[in-house]
């Protein structure tokens, strides 16, 4: 019996302020990645589909995100009417008010769909001889923590949970992995096997504030053949992200900087067209960003997003807060030097830099 495991869809994610035909380009990318995943799942035909949180990018997602999820569920129901879809809300789709059912609440009403936001729920499918325990984010942060027990009468026992787990047990979710045939986790955006049978599937697109950190990692989802324990990764092709090698600023030859920036951008294999690109410059004081005047607009038009990051010389580890402040300052300094940026785009930039945007 094969099950599919997705997480961190972040439907409704928006970034970079690029709008085409009234839609944020990155939101369209994320919806496309989700529909790509659905198409692959239809080909695989799993017995159950598990979605481990952060289905939406925020507790009040745009209507377009609700439509994207509804379309995906409808495709699954049509082609695989006997395949249940089980979703547990993550931090991103958990509303602040404890009585608020959240956006997933609407989908919990559909036949063949379980979508939990508040409390842990155990669902038994006798035809599949399958028991699934859903552990949404909220249930893991309340006292007492969730009681997550396998059903001894079921042949297969699965968990769909959102949060951090680790081998030492200092985690939100306390599990004995031997009790379970598969544990499907969400929250971490990088794919990872925690221990045998306990997996983070990772996000399906590079949705964090720093997408270049995921530039080299393929995104996608997992399937597990419960009989053999075989886990397979199914890649999804999202928008390319390019992280370029840092360029050292030479104070005695400042004019050289423009040439070097042009060189590294021209050398990107396949060009920078429509990609998300980060260029890093080491040792350039923010006040000297004028050295790049006239160089960037051309490349900014060609890339979906071109980010210039100013790196200091390596100087020991920075705290998370310092990193955030540094990133924010560097991005603001750079963007404010541009013309035509609107207030909304700047607010989004600040929000994207704040800690917690990674998850
Ligand atoms: Mn997430």
């Amino acid at each position: 019996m094969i099950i599919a495991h997705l997480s961190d869809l972040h439907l409704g994610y928006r970034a970079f302020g690029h709008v085409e035909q009234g839609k944020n380009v990155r939101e369209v990318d994320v919806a496309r990645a989700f529909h790509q995943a659905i198409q692959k799942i239809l080909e695989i035909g799993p017995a159950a589909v598990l979605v481990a949180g952060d289905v939406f990018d925020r507790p009040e997602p745009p209507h377009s995100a609700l439509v994207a999820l509804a379309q995906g569920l409808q495709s699954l129901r049509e082609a695989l009417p006997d395949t249940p879809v089980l979703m547990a809300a993550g931090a991103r789709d958990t509303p602040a008010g404890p009585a608020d059912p959240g956006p997933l609440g609407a989908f919990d009403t559909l036949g063949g769909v379980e979508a939990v936001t508040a409390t842990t729920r155990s669902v038994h499918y006798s035809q599949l001889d399958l028991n699934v325990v859903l552990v949404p984010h909220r249930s893991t942060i309340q006292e007492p923590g969730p009681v997550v027990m396998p059903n001894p009468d079921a042949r297969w026992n699965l968990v769909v949970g959102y949060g951090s787990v680790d081998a030492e047990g200092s985690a939100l979710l306390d599990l004995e992995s031997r009790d379970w045939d598969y544990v499907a986790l969400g929250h971490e955006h990088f794919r990872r096997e925690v221990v045998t049978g306990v997996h983070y599937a990772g996000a399906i697109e590079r949705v964090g504030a720093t997408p270049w950190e995921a530039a080299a990692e393929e995104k996608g989802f997992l399937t597990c053949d419960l009989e053999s324990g075989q886990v397979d990764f199914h890649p999804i092709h999202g928008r390319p992200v390019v992280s370029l090698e840092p360029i050292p600023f030479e104070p005695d030859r400042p004019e050289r900087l423009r040439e070097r920036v042009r060189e590294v951008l021209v050398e990107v294999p396949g060009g920078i067209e429509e990609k998300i690109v980060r260029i890093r410059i080491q040792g350039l004081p923010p006040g000297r960003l004028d050295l790049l005047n006239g160089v960037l607009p051309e490349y900014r038009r060609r890339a979906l997003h071109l980010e210039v990051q100013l790196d200091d010389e390596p100087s020991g580890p920075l705290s998370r807060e310092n990193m955030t402040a540094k990133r924010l300052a560097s991005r603001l300094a750079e963007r404010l030097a541009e013309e035509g940026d609107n207030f909304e785009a700047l607010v989004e930039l600040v929000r994207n830099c704040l800690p917690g945007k990674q998850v």
Side-chain angles (χ1 to χ4, degrees):
M1 185 161 82
I2 290 173
I3 51 107
H5 166 201
L6 298 85
S7 87
D8 298 89
L9 314 179
H10 286 252
L11 296 171
Y13 167 81
R14 291 176 177 174
F16 308 140
H18 283 257
V19 173
E20 277 175 18
Q21 296 176 337
K23 296 174 180 169
N24 181 278
V25 172
R26 289 296 286 149
E27 183 185 347
V28 173
D29 287 347
V30 166
R32 280 207 183 116
F34 173 59
H35 292 307
Q36 243 187 81
I38 295 291
Q39 288 310 312
K40 289 191 176 211
I41 290 169
L42 296 184
E43 288 162 26
I44 296 163
V49 176
L50 319 175
V51 187
D54 287 356
V55 175
F56 296 112
D57 189 58
R58 47 183 174 268
E60 291 88 24
H63 299 157
S64 42
L66 302 171
V67 171
L69 179 62
Q71 286 171 336
L73 292 175
Q74 180 60 14
S75 302
L76 287 171
R77 278 154 65 97
E78 273 176 15
L80 305 171
D82 299 326
T83 296
V85 179
L86 298 110
M87 303 189 278
R92 289 275 173 167
D93 25 30
T94 299
D100 184 340
L104 280 180
F107 298 91
D108 196 30
T109 62
L110 301 177
V113 175
E114 301 287 333
V116 299
T117 301
T119 52
T120 297
R121 181 188 298 173
S122 184
V123 190
H124 185 246
Y125 298 96
S126 49
Q127 283 190 333
L128 297 169
D129 209 358
L130 169 71
N131 198 84
V132 184
V133 182
L134 292 149
V135 188
H137 168 70
R138 179 173 285 158
S139 74
T140 66
I141 55 171
Q142 285 171 343
E143 290 293 336
V147 179
V148 185
M149 301 284 285
N151 179 344
D153 297 329
R155 168 68 186 86
W156 307 111
N157 277 284
L158 312 180
V159 175
V160 183
Y162 180 92
S164 42
V165 288
D166 57 45
E168 286 79 47
S170 58
L172 291 171
L173 202 52
D174 190 12
L175 289 176
E176 188 58 67
S177 64
R178 280 166 302 184
D179 292 345
W180 304 94
D181 296 291
Y182 187 85
V183 177
L185 296 174
H187 166 61
E188 293 189 7
H189 285 188
F190 287 87
R191 186 171 70 258
R192 178 163 83 92
E193 180 178 36
V194 182
V195 293
T196 304
V198 180
H199 292 260
Y200 284 101
I204 59 170
E205 242 273 8
R206 297 173 182 89
V207 289
T210 52
W212 17 89
E213 284 167 13
E217 196 203 51
E218 276 194 301
K219 312 307 278 182
F221 67 95
L222 299 173
T223 53
C224 179
D225 181 335
L226 297 180
E227 272 97 3
S228 67
Q230 161 100 18
V231 175
D232 289 312
F233 171 66
H234 304 270
I236 290 172
H237 302 292
R239 186 171 294 273
V241 175
V242 180
S243 176
L244 294 163
E245 286 302 305
I247 300 170
F249 174 59
E250 301 166 52
D252 48 339
R253 291 202 300 165
E255 70 293 345
R256 173 91 178 111
L257 183 63
R258 294 157 68 97
E259 281 169 47
R260 287 292 296 135
V261 166
R262 278 206 186 89
E263 281 166 16
V264 297
L265 287 170
V266 166
E267 281 165 10
V268 172
I272 62 165
E273 274 64 27
E274 298 303 318
K275 294 178 182 172
I276 297 168
V277 182
R278 176 183 65 168
I279 194 161
R280 295 162 62 192
I281 302 169
Q282 283 175 339
L284 179 68
R288 299 304 315 275
L289 271 167
D290 60 300
L291 286 169
L292 293 174
N293 279 355
V295 181
L296 298 179
E298 179 200 340
Y299 296 101
R300 285 232 154 88
R301 271 193 299 277
R302 290 163 52 188
L304 177 78
H305 176 74
L306 173 61
E307 170 132 342
V308 178
Q309 181 180 316
L310 303 185
D311 291 354
D312 288 339
E313 297 298 331
S315 61
L318 286 168
S319 74
R320 195 187 163 104
E321 286 70 28
N322 279 342
M323 293 275 282
T324 303
K326 235 171 83 71
R327 188 165 73 226
L328 186 56
S330 128
R331 289 182 68 172
L332 274 175
E334 176 229 330
R335 286 285 282 274
L336 287 170
E338 285 175 46
E339 284 176 63
D341 237 336
N342 63 31
F343 181 69
E344 197 188 7
L346 287 173
V347 169
E348 191 167 286
L349 185 153
V350 173
R351 287 175 62 167
N352 279 333
C353 285
L354 293 176
K357 184 68 187 179
Q358 313 294 321
V359 297

